[in-house]
Amino acid sequence: MSHHDERTFVMVKPDGVQRGLIGEIVSRFETRGLKLVGAKFMRIDEELAHEHYGEHEGKPFFEGLVEFITSGPVFAMVWEGADATRQVRTMMGETDPADSAPGTIRGDLGLDLGHNVIHGSDHEDEGANEREIDLFFDDAELVDWDLDAAEWVYEDEDH
Ligand code: IDP
Ligand code: MG
């Protein structure tokens, strides 16, 4: 299953948790055919927030972003599948929900840039997916299992 094993980091942000959107968001990735290999409901502390969003340090929205992401629990996940990082980003829509097409997660579930419901690793930032997975999950928290449906999701999946 070599080319179906790309992993990406995804997180329902505090606004998505508060609005009861965890199930809706998990459901979209499940029905797409991606495989869940890790998940945890957690609170991000100041240090983790700074590390996770380090690339934005110094930008005008940075302090507000850290305050928001630490303001309540998040639902962190690792999803696996063919081209998973880019596919998840496409499913998410644009950074600003107001610019996101209907059918995308942000386009269907949000209206405001500062409360855009979901995070996903950037496919244009080489290795961001692996870095973020490592930042949020220990190896032991990632589950090695076979998704039986994969042989129906992928034409060339062999067991
Ligand atoms: P992304 O989440 O689509 O990858 P990034 O540019 O990496 O977008 O920005 C990280 C997060 O910072 C966004 O998801 C959003 O929550 C917040 N953010 C980005 N730009 C702005 C802004 O101009 N104002 C307020 N918040 C912003
Ligand atoms: Mg980003």
Side-chain angles (χ1 to χ4, degrees):
M1 64 158 231
S2 56
H3 61 293
H4 305 148
D5 62 0
E6 183 178 317
R7 290 179 171 182
T8 192
F9 175 72
V10 183
M11 173 171 76
V12 181
K13 293 181 176 183
D15 55 331
V17 172
Q18 288 288 357
R19 291 176 54 208
L21 298 175
I22 294 173
E24 160 82 28
I25 289 169
V26 167
S27 181
R28 289 183 181 224
F29 298 126
E30 278 189 306
T31 53
R32 186 74 195 278
L34 292 167
K35 179 170 86 172
L36 185 66
V37 295
K40 60 180 160 186
F41 188 62
M42 59 179 283
R43 186 87 179 240
I44 295 180
D45 65 21
E46 196 89 6
E47 189 187 342
L48 180 57
H50 275 79
E51 202 161 346
H52 176 62
Y53 281 128
E55 63 172 309
H56 299 299
E57 213 149 354
K59 293 181 185 171
F61 62 84
F62 181 72
E63 292 308 326
L65 177 60
V66 169
E67 195 176 325
F68 164 60
I69 210 68
T70 58
S71 68
V74 300
F75 192 65
M77 296 161 276
V78 178
W79 288 93
E80 183 180 295
D83 199 22
T85 313
R86 189 172 67 88
Q87 294 302 336
V88 165
R89 289 293 300 204
T90 303
M91 291 169 75
M92 283 167 52
E94 304 300 320
T95 299
D96 190 343
D99 296 330
S100 298
T104 65
I105 293 166
R106 284 166 170 168
D108 286 346
L109 305 177
L111 285 168
D112 188 282
L113 172 58
H115 285 175
N116 60 5
V117 177
I118 185 170
H119 168 86
S121 301
D122 187 351
H123 68 292
E124 291 177 334
D125 181 359
E126 180 82 39
N129 54 337
E130 295 296 341
R131 284 199 306 279
E132 292 181 348
I133 290 167
D134 285 350
L135 189 58
F136 280 84
F137 288 90
D138 295 329
D139 285 349
E141 293 175 316
L142 301 178
V143 180
D144 186 20
W145 65 295
D146 290 325
L147 176 66
D148 291 338
E151 65 181 286
W152 299 104
V153 173
Y154 302 108
E155 184 182 18
D156 61 350
E157 178 81 6
D158 51 340
H159 285 290

